[in-house]
């Protein structure tokens, strides 16, 4: 049985991974007692004894955890932001060109950010095909459930005496320095980071990322059908697919809550197009993606133990 260790299993993502993997009979979860959860020597031993270690830690703590590993066979899947654009790390989004094969052999896998996953899924194929110019500055809105903010934000939203302002959606990261921007730029092959407006709303989980396009953004003339065809051709394997169905002409950001797959779609007309991806910020945007990467690395069905 493959030995799996979760370093940082007390956070939202770590808890979700642990809950999911505890139901698997093909894996052995290595668990530290609570009193040793922050003991460096105990963590070092677990990290080096594991076949795969998930890092569910703040960025600096994730870097420190990697420095504790001297076993060349230990595979690390880091869910933090620390290594997503770092040399020597494979970005854990297997649906992108060439990355599934890299994940199969990599010992250092950086799990994608939630907002970034939705943006990259929409933009990377269109940049590869020359539909979007690399030098263009794109505009992106991303709507997420409050679970994306971790334990503190969950407690704030679920408090009985919470501020009434929590009842309505709230835009944040107003300084255009969101931590997902570097991977959004690098993985899409863009020259500049997008103008990015993340929005948190009063529902637990689910994410909806949107990007608008006009004809002047392209390297060549394209139509709405060109983009639909591009997505359908690009996403033929993995957990991303094309689906432009709606809920009576509306699109809910919570429709994929509890799931581990993602859908991309294009709406509008040939002059003005809206690209939208929908998924769960806790699923394909976090723990589901991490488990998908683990499955691929272990040579298993990549959807094993996932909800799709």
């Amino acid at each position: 049985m493959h030995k799996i260790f979760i370093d940082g299993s007390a956070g939202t993502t770590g808890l979700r991974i642990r809950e999911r993997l505890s139901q698997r009979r093909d894996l052995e979860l290595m668990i530290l007692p609570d009193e040793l959860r922050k003991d460096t020597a105990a963590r070092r031993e677990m990290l080096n004894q594991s076949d795969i270690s998930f890092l569910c830690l703040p960025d600096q703590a994730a870097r420190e955890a990697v420095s504790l590993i001297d076993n060349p066979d230990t595979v690390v899947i880091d869910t933090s932001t620390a290594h997503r654009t770092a040399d020597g790390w494979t970005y854990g989004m297997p649906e992108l060109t060439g990355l599934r094969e890299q994940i199969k052999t990599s010992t250092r896998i950086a799990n994608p950010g939630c907002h970034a996953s939705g943006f990259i899924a929409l933009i990377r194929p269109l940049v590869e095909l020359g539909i979007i110019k690399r030098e263009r500055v794109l505009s992106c809105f991303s709507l997420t459930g409050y679970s994306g903010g971790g334990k503190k934000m969950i407690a704030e939203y679920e408090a009985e005496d919470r501020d009434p302002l929590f009842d309505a959606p709230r835009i944040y990261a107003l300084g255009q320095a969101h931590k997902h921007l570097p991977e959004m730029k690098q993985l899409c092959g863009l020259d500049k980071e997008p103008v990015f407006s993340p929005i948190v709303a009063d529902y637990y989980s689910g994410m909806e990322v949107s990007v608008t396009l006009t004809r002047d953004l392209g390297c060549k003339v394209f139509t709405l059908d060109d983009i639909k065809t591009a997505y359908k051709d690009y996403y033929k394997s993995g957990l991303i697919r094309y689906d432009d169905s709606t809920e009576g002409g509306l699109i809910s950001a919570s429709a994929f809550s509890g799931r581990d797959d993602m859908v991309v779609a294009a709406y509008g007309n040939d002059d003005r197009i809206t690209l939208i991806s929908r998924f769960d910020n806790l699923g394909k945007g976090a723990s589901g993606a991490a488990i998908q990467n683990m499955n691929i690395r272990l040579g298993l069905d990549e959807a094993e133990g996932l909800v799709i």
Side-chain angles (χ1 to χ4, degrees):
M1 294 177 68
H2 301 290
K3 295 181 178 180
I4 311 296
F5 175 56
I6 306 168
D7 195 5
S9 59
T12 305
T13 299
L15 284 170
R16 293 272 294 187
I17 293 174
R18 178 172 173 173
E19 175 186 323
R20 290 161 174 258
L21 297 189
S22 65
Q23 301 174 29
R24 298 271 295 263
R25 297 185 177 181
D26 56 331
L27 306 172
E28 177 187 344
L29 271 182
M30 304 167 64
I31 298 174
L32 275 175
D34 286 344
E35 62 271 18
L36 295 178
R37 191 163 50 86
K38 295 185 179 181
D39 183 287
T40 301
R43 290 173 54 229
R44 182 195 299 272
E45 183 177 355
M46 288 290 205
L47 288 164
N48 284 286
Q49 287 182 0
S50 69
D51 294 311
I52 292 183
S53 278
F54 292 95
L55 306 184
C56 304
L57 303 162
D59 288 4
Q60 185 54 39
R63 295 186 186 98
E64 293 171 355
V66 173
S67 73
L68 299 176
I69 301 172
D70 51 36
N71 181 351
D73 296 324
T74 294
V75 175
V76 177
I77 300 176
D78 182 10
T79 69
S80 81
T81 314
H83 298 105
R84 290 175 186 161
T85 58
D87 291 339
W89 287 73
T90 300
Y91 195 73
M93 199 165 178
E95 293 83 3
L96 302 183
T97 302
L99 289 187
R100 179 174 281 102
E101 293 307 310
Q102 292 182 37
I103 291 168
K104 288 179 180 179
T105 60
S106 179
T107 59
R108 297 292 181 268
I109 301 167
N111 214 53
C114 54
H115 298 288
S117 294
F119 178 82
I120 293 166
L122 293 172
I123 302 305
R124 169 74 174 257
L126 305 186
V127 174
E128 284 188 22
L129 293 170
I131 291 175
I132 294 178
K133 294 180 180 178
R134 297 176 183 272
E135 64 267 25
R136 291 294 184 177
V137 178
L138 300 173
S139 180
C140 174
F141 284 83
S142 183
L143 184 61
T144 182
Y146 60 78
S147 60
K151 284 186 172 182
K152 181 180 178 181
M153 184 171 284
I154 292 171
E156 290 174 342
Y157 267 90
E158 296 183 351
E160 293 183 5
D161 58 346
R162 76 179 192 186
D163 191 316
L165 291 177
F166 283 54
D167 296 347
R170 299 184 296 158
I171 298 178
Y172 62 103
L174 301 177
Q176 288 301 314
H178 193 281
K179 63 182 181 178
H180 292 179
L181 285 170
E183 61 187 291
M184 292 163 78
K185 172 189 171 185
Q186 180 169 305
L187 270 295
C188 290
L190 297 171
D191 293 341
K192 299 177 182 179
E193 295 173 344
V195 179
F196 179 46
S197 298
I199 304 163
V200 61
D202 185 19
Y203 65 101
Y204 185 73
S205 71
M207 184 166 278
E208 182 175 279
V209 179
S210 65
V211 180
T212 55
L213 297 183
T214 56
R215 281 185 181 274
D216 65 342
L217 288 171
C219 299
K220 58 185 179 182
V221 175
F222 61 87
T223 66
L224 178 61
D225 284 340
D226 289 336
I227 292 179
K228 291 182 178 182
T229 298
Y231 285 146
K232 291 173 183 177
D233 289 344
Y234 195 92
Y235 293 117
K236 289 184 174 179
S237 62
L239 303 186
I240 303 176
R241 68 185 188 280
Y242 185 85
D243 183 353
D244 57 12
S245 60
T246 67
E247 295 88 43
L250 302 173
I251 300 179
S252 172
S254 67
F256 279 70
S257 179
R259 297 174 63 103
D260 296 302
D261 51 353
M262 176 192 294
V263 296
V264 296
Y267 306 89
N269 54 59
D270 289 345
D271 292 315
R272 300 187 311 282
I273 296 171
T274 301
L275 311 176
I276 296 177
S277 59
R278 291 197 289 173
F279 54 106
D280 188 347
N281 54 287
L282 297 178
K284 185 59 171 164
S287 64
I291 293 171
Q292 179 187 10
N293 286 319
M294 179 201 72
N295 286 336
I296 292 171
R297 186 59 180 81
L298 294 177
L300 307 173
D301 181 340
E302 63 189 87
E304 181 69 30
L306 299 179
V307 179
I308 57 174

